[in-house]
């Protein structure tokens, strides 16, 4: 099982980016999917999560600016980031609780994607 994230880049303050993260491999179902971020010198922090039923949760710092969504048929989670601020600069990681056909599963992390917001 792999999670492959894409969509990071360099953007000016006030701009937008859309991150995507697709799960691949032996997947039976995915419960919660989410995005976390880690800025230099700081701990990894929650950005947003979404359940398979579409219930979302956001960090206070991104509420009203970021939107998380998912396509269950494609095992993919998205993060639309608008009104970006320099403090949003970080490596963004996707995360998912995955069940496999063999009954096993677990919590998986994708490789990060860099988001840099210039002032």
């Amino acid at each position: 099982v792999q999670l492959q994230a894409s969509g990071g880049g360099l953007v000016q303050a006030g701009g937008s980016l859309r991150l995507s993260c697709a799960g691949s491999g032996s997947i039976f179902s995915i419960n919660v999917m989410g995005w976390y971020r880690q800025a230099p010198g700081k701990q990894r922090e929650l950005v947003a999560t979404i359940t398979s039923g579409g219930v979302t949760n956001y960090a206070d710092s991104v509420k009203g600016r970021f939107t998380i969504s998912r396509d269950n048929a494609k095992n993919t989670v998205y993060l639309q980031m608008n009104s970006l601020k320099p403090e949003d600069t970080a490596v963004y990681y996707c995360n998912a609780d995955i069940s496999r056909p063999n009954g096993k599963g677990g919590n998986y992390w994708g490789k990060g994607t860099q988001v840099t917001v210039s002032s």
Side-chain angles (χ1 to χ4, degrees):
V1 172
Q2 286 188 327
L3 294 173
Q4 182 65 49
S6 61
L10 173 64
V11 65
Q12 288 188 331
S16 298
L17 282 174
R18 188 189 193 215
L19 306 183
S20 300
C21 177
S24 62
S26 182
I27 296 173
F28 176 72
S29 65
I30 303 179
N31 187 8
V32 180
M33 302 185 82
W35 291 95
Y36 292 73
R37 67 187 181 186
Q38 187 167 18
K42 295 187 177 182
Q43 290 188 333
R44 190 173 298 187
E45 64 177 4
L46 169 73
V47 177
T49 61
I50 184 169
T51 69
S52 56
V55 177
T56 59
N57 179 53
Y58 295 93
D60 287 342
S61 59
V62 307
K63 282 181 181 177
R65 300 188 298 121
F66 291 10
T67 302
I68 189 170
S69 61
R70 64 188 282 174
D71 184 332
N72 291 329
K74 295 181 179 180
N75 293 328
T76 299
V77 62
Y78 306 96
L79 186 68
Q80 178 65 45
M81 304 185 292
N82 299 329
S83 303
L84 282 160
K85 304 176 181 179
E87 51 263 44
D88 294 317
T89 295
V91 178
Y92 284 69
Y93 299 89
C94 62
N95 178 272
D97 289 327
I98 297 174
S99 297
R100 302 176 64 182
N102 62 4
K104 298 180 181 180
N107 187 261
Y108 294 83
W109 290 93
K111 292 182 180 180
T113 184
Q114 176 71 46
V115 172
T116 303
V117 184
S118 63
S119 58

